[in-house]
Amino acid sequence: MRRAAGIRPRGIVAVAVLAGAVLAAAGCGSDSGAAGSRGTGTGSGGGKGQSKAPAPSLTWEFEHIADFDGELADVAVLAKDDVWAVGTELNSEADARLLHYDGTTWKREPLPEALGTSVYPPLLEELGGDALWLRPQTSEDGAAVNRWAKWDGTRWSAMPSPPPGNAGAFEASGPDDVWALDGEQSVQHWDGTRWTTTRLPYRASDLAVVGPDDVWAVGSRSTGPGTELEGYSGGYSQPASMHWDGTSWKAVDTPRARFDDPLPPEPGAGLNQVFALDSGEVRAYGINTFNHGEVENEPADEYIRVRWDGSRWVEQESPPGACALRTPVGEDDQGLFLDGNWYLTDDGQCVKIKRHRLPESTGARKASNQSLWLKEIHRVPGTDEWLGAGHVQVNQSGDPFRAPVVVRLRDKG
C-alpha cells in the first residue's frame, strides 16, 4: 500500500511538540516553499492579501460499533462492499477478532486456519487491486511469525512463500513490489515470485515506497560524523536515511542533531517515520532526545521534520496551530490527514476532525468522557470517503470500557 493511501501508525503516533526544533546539520537547508510541497501553509490561496477557501467541516461518523469490549487494530478497504477489520476482545484471553463488511452487514468471520493460534491480532496488508494479506505481528514468537494468509476474493488460504524473517514495517507499490523490514538492518523484497534479502547501511525503523526502484528507509546511525562525544561512552546516535535505486541501498547525507552544551544525559537522535506523497515528495520525522529525569533544568526534546527536495534533505515549514504537533497518516486531493484526528488543507488551514458520542445503548452514559483513537485510515476506492478503525475510550465511574469502532468520513462540507 502506498503510504499516502492510508497509514498504519506505529501504535498511536506520538504527539510531536515541534516548537524550537533544531537541525544543526550539514546538508540541511531551509524550506523555501518550493512548488509541489503541500500542506505547510504555502499553497495557493495562502499568500498575503489572498483569501483562503472556507475551512472544511469534517466529522467521523460511526460506520460500525462492535459488540465487544476491546479495540480494532487494522482495516483494509478493497471496495465499497468489501471491507475487513481485525481487533482484540479484552476478555481474559485477549481474543483476536476478524470482521467483514459485504456492503450490507458487518459479520464476524473465523480467523484463517493458516494463521494458527496467536497472542495478538494479525495485521491486514493491501497490495493493490484485490490483493490482501493477513500477517502476524512482529511480537509473535517462534513459527507464528511465518504463518501468513492471503485472500483470493472468495476464501483465505496459507501463503506458500511468506517472508523468511520477522517482518516489521511493510510497504508495497503493488502485488509484485512488496518491501518489509526484517529486524533493524535487513529488508525483504517480494517481486511476485520470490523474496530477496538486502542489507541496510544503518538501523531502520520505517520504510516508504515511492515507486518500483525508489524506496526510502529511515532510522539512526551510531558511527560517523556527530556520533563521537568526548567523555560519553555511549556516543550520540544521529538521524540516518537510506535509498534504494533498483540495484542497492545507499546511505544518504542526513541532517545531524545536537543539544547545546552542556549536553543532557545519554543524548540521541533518529528518524522514526517516512511518508511518501502521491506527488513523489518524501518527508521524514524524528526526534532528538535524552534520558529524562537525571538533571535539573532539562532542555526540551527537539523534533525533526525534513523533506527531500530531489537532491538533499531540507527543513519543512512548520504547519499552523495544533497541526504543528502532528505527523501525516493519509493524503487526499485537498490536503493531509494528521494523527490525532486533524486535517491540514493545502492552503494551510488546520482543521480538527470532529466525532460523535457513542449512543447510550452501548453502555456509555451521558456524563462519560469519550475519546476516539484510530489505528488506521484508508480511502474507499472510487469515492472521496475514508474509513478508519480503532476504538472509543469511555471513561466513567464504575464501568469504563473500550468500544471497537469503524468510522466513516464523508465528503467535506
Side-chain angles (χ1 to χ4, degrees):
M1 73 187 158
R2 284 293 302 278
R3 183 62 58 84
I7 182 177
R8 172 177 304 107
R10 308 306 183 228
I12 297 295
V13 179
V15 174
V17 184
L18 299 167
V22 175
L23 286 174
C28 181
S30 61
D31 188 338
S32 60
S37 182
R38 72 179 311 181
T40 59
T42 59
S44 61
K48 185 176 180 180
Q50 296 180 336
S51 60
K52 294 183 179 181
S57 177
L58 305 174
T59 302
W60 288 115
E61 300 176 358
F62 292 122
E63 174 74 12
H64 178 63
I65 304 172
D67 60 353
F68 58 86
D69 183 3
E71 60 183 28
L72 297 182
D74 204 358
V75 65
V77 187
L78 300 181
K80 292 187 291 185
D81 57 356
D82 192 4
V83 182
W84 293 86
V86 292
T88 303
E89 180 175 358
L90 298 177
N91 54 24
S92 59
E93 298 180 357
D95 290 336
R97 295 285 182 261
L98 177 63
L99 307 176
H100 182 246
Y101 176 69
D102 61 5
T104 304
T105 58
W106 283 89
K107 295 181 180 178
R108 179 179 170 184
E109 299 283 349
L111 286 168
E113 292 183 5
L115 294 178
T117 58
S118 61
V119 177
Y120 306 99
L123 299 175
L124 292 158
E125 299 294 356
E126 296 179 62
L127 308 183
D130 296 331
L132 179 64
W133 293 354
L134 258 178
R135 68 180 181 100
Q137 295 198 35
T138 55
S139 47
E140 293 287 2
D141 296 324
V145 300
N146 297 121
R147 295 173 184 154
W148 293 47
K150 64 177 181 178
W151 175 251
D152 64 7
T154 304
R155 65 186 183 92
W156 291 99
S157 60
M159 276 187 61
S161 301
N166 191 346
F170 184 104
E171 296 295 330
S173 64
D176 299 334
D177 187 31
V178 180
W179 296 82
L181 283 180
D182 179 8
E184 291 186 328
Q185 212 166 331
S186 182
V187 175
Q188 302 284 349
H189 178 247
W190 173 255
D191 63 5
T193 59
R194 65 190 180 97
W195 291 95
T196 302
T197 303
T198 52
R199 184 76 173 169
L200 292 167
Y202 303 117
R203 298 190 307 270
S205 57
D206 199 17
L207 286 170
V209 178
V210 182
D213 294 325
D214 190 0
V215 185
W216 287 86
V218 300
S220 63
R221 58 180 174 83
S222 57
T223 60
T227 62
E228 296 181 358
L229 293 177
E230 184 176 350
Y232 287 81
S233 59
Y236 199 141
S237 61
Q238 291 295 321
S241 60
M242 297 143 278
H243 183 253
W244 174 263
D245 60 6
T247 59
S248 64
W249 287 100
K250 295 180 175 62
V252 177
D253 187 31
T254 309
R256 300 194 295 272
R258 182 186 170 95
F259 289 106
D260 292 334
D261 291 331
L263 293 178
E266 302 175 38
L271 297 174
N272 50 38
Q273 181 184 348
V274 60
F275 186 91
L277 276 63
D278 285 340
S279 65
E281 181 181 326
V282 177
R283 300 182 179 184
Y285 303 83
I287 188 171
N288 181 30
T289 187
F290 59 97
N291 187 9
H292 290 264
E294 294 192 9
V295 296
E296 296 181 358
N297 301 319
E298 293 183 340
D301 286 341
E302 298 171 349
Y303 291 83
I304 303 167
R305 302 171 59 104
V306 292
R307 68 177 182 87
W308 184 252
D309 71 357
S311 60
R312 62 173 181 158
W313 291 106
V314 298
E315 286 187 68
Q316 295 181 42
E317 181 178 339
S318 181
C323 288
L325 313 181
R326 309 291 174 176
T327 55
V329 296
E331 175 190 15
D332 66 6
D333 56 2
Q334 298 179 43
L336 296 174
F337 291 90
L338 308 179
D339 71 283
N341 302 317
W342 290 87
Y343 184 81
L344 180 63
T345 68
D346 281 344
D347 62 1
Q349 298 182 78
C350 181
V351 180
K352 177 66 174 177
I353 305 177
K354 294 174 286 188
R355 57 171 177 81
H356 295 298
R357 289 178 62 84
L358 290 171
E360 291 184 47
S361 59
T362 62
R365 298 193 289 268
K366 286 185 178 180
S368 64
N369 293 320
Q370 300 180 24
S371 54
L372 174 64
W373 299 90
L374 296 181
K375 288 290 188 71
E376 179 90 354
I377 67 170
H378 279 285
R379 194 170 191 162
V380 180
T383 76
D384 290 329
E385 298 184 354
W386 287 70
L387 290 180
H391 75 277
V392 174
Q393 177 67 46
V394 179
N395 293 326
Q396 57 188 8
S397 176
D399 189 22
F401 66 94
R402 293 183 178 188
V405 296
V406 177
V407 293
R408 182 182 294 269
L409 185 69
R410 303 187 186 277
D411 294 346
K412 304 180 186 67

